Amino acid sequence: GIQVEQSPPDLILQEGANSTLRCNFSDSVNNLQWFHQNPWGQLINLFYIPSGTKQNGRLSATTVATERYSLLYISSSQTTDSGVYFCAVHGWMETSGSRLTFGEGTQLTVNP
Amino acid sequence: SAVISQKPSRDICQRGTSLTIQCQVDSQVTMMFWYRQQPGQSLTLIATANQGSEATYESGFVIDKFPISRPNLTFSTLTVSNMSPEDSSIYLCSVKGGVYEQYFGPGTRLTVT
């Protein structure tokens, strides 16, 4: 099945700093999503971005499908940005066909 | 988008018992997905539930341990049976909001003692 790798695994920032999170995937994909999991465990949809660039406030994402990677940019980070950021792609599962496959996540901590 | 609710939000259970988690969606959907997230880990797909047919389980998950019901197009349940401490996880329900985009419920945080 498809492999999804995220980097870095951990990131510690001071409030106000910028950061870039990376997601590499092993095969062509129909869908790529970025999620933020808050400290309470809820997964929040950030971007649905199979290709191109999108922006939403301080966050933006770029996916270069031909080179099999996506980047999530966080500018002027705030303490509320803390949590785990997951990249997920629609990959092929042996038993059930096309399904969403998650990377291992980037644990972001923003200190005041 | 889709609005998904889950019950219970959290529970503490004794080993050997079973817990049934409910998932309700605000619109009709063909497929519903159940994921498990063990502490400090990523999300793993348990099974896919289609209305009117048996759930399809991923490798490493079996129906006897995680029976699933899908009585209609807006509701599903996942039961975690004969629980052990290794079952302590967050269990999440998910649906597709469009062709590929998926949305997740708030999760059920299960602790088995």
Side-chain angles (χ1 to χ4, degrees):
Chain A
I2 196 166
Q3 305 298 314
V4 183
E5 295 182 355
Q6 291 187 242
S7 59
D10 298 279
L11 186 59
I12 300 175
L13 301 173
Q14 285 298 121
E15 202 167 23
N18 303 328
S19 62
T20 301
L21 282 58
R22 186 177 180 101
C23 172
N24 293 333
F25 42 95
S26 61
D27 206 345
S28 58
V29 297
N30 295 314
N31 171 25
L32 188 144
Q33 292 183 245
W34 283 98
F35 297 91
H36 175 215
Q37 188 169 40
N38 64 25
W40 295 270
Q42 182 152 13
L43 271 177
I44 300 165
N45 287 44
L46 296 178
F47 294 102
Y48 167 67
I49 184 166
S51 64
T53 297
K54 290 185 178 180
Q55 181 157 6
N56 184 3
R58 296 181 296 104
L59 274 60
S60 64
T62 295
T63 297
V64 184
T66 54
E67 298 186 20
R68 299 180 183 170
Y69 73 90
S70 183
L71 302 173
L72 177 69
Y73 306 95
I74 305 174
S75 64
S76 303
S77 58
Q78 301 175 358
T79 56
T80 52
D81 294 331
S82 296
V84 183
Y85 289 80
F86 286 105
C87 167
V89 301
H90 236 86
W92 187 261
M93 306 288 281
E94 284 186 12
T95 53
S96 54
S98 180
R99 297 291 180 261
L100 201 61
T101 301
F102 280 77
E104 293 301 309
T106 292
Q107 174 75 57
L108 174 65
T109 303
V110 181
N111 293 320
Chain B
S1 65
V3 177
I4 306 169
S5 60
Q6 286 186 232
K7 290 182 182 179
S9 59
R10 58 176 61 231
D11 207 342
I12 301 173
C13 301
Q14 293 195 344
R15 68 174 68 207
T17 62
S18 298
L19 176 72
T20 295
I21 302 167
Q22 299 178 7
C23 177
Q24 180 76 51
V25 189
D26 69 340
S27 57
Q28 294 184 340
V29 293
T30 304
M31 290 189 288
M32 296 178 78
F33 306 91
W34 286 99
Y35 288 79
R36 181 178 74 180
Q37 186 180 25
Q38 295 178 300
Q41 304 295 314
S42 185
L43 281 77
T44 302
L45 180 63
I46 297 172
T48 302
N50 293 323
Q51 193 267 337
S53 64
E54 283 201 7
T56 302
Y57 289 83
E58 298 302 314
S59 177
F61 297 96
V62 295
I63 187 171
D64 290 346
K65 176 67 175 178
F66 297 101
I68 289 172
S69 77
R70 183 77 200 277
N72 58 52
L73 292 173
T74 63
F75 186 80
S76 178
T77 67
L78 169 76
T79 299
V80 186
S81 303
N82 188 24
M83 289 184 285
S84 67
E86 292 71 34
D87 294 318
S88 297
S89 298
I90 300 175
Y91 292 86
L92 298 107
C93 172
S94 175
V95 303
K96 288 184 183 178
V99 177
Y100 290 111
E101 189 169 8
Q102 279 190 226
Y103 295 87
F104 286 79
T108 295
R109 190 180 294 269
L110 171 62
T111 302
V112 183
T113 60

